Amino acid sequence: MYVNGQLIIDDYQFKDHHQHQVPIQIYWGSQHSGIGFVEQYSSEFIKINNIFYSRRQFTFVSRPGY
């Protein structure tokens, strides 16, 4: 189980969020960039809302219950 606001960084965490349809919030620095469900993930990118986000450039936060 993930808590609201928990950082998501590992492949298994992205896999869990994808399989269980737990929303993820995306930040670029301290600025909110979006929220949605993981469509695809790789070692370099996360696809959310048909947009590819770099795992090196963005921060991903769990938002269960959102």
Side-chain angles (χ1 to χ4, degrees):
M1 186 65 167
Y2 294 93
V3 295
N4 194 23
Q6 182 176 344
L7 288 179
I8 305 301
I9 56 174
D10 293 318
D11 284 346
Y12 76 89
Q13 293 173 313
F14 288 108
K15 180 181 179 183
D16 282 348
H17 280 72
H18 174 69
Q19 288 180 337
H20 301 290
Q21 291 297 287
V22 177
I24 290 182
Q25 193 164 11
I26 305 120
Y27 287 92
W28 185 36
S30 62
Q31 180 144 4
H32 169 79
S33 294
I35 192 166
F37 299 100
V38 176
E39 297 170 24
Q40 294 178 342
Y41 61 94
S42 72
S43 61
E44 297 293 321
F45 294 96
I46 306 299
K47 184 179 180 185
I48 298 173
N49 299 331
N50 210 30
I51 299 170
F52 288 92
Y53 293 94
S54 169
R55 288 174 70 165
R56 294 178 189 196
Q57 186 176 4
F58 291 89
T59 302
F60 304 93
V61 177
S62 184
R63 292 294 184 212
Y66 182 82

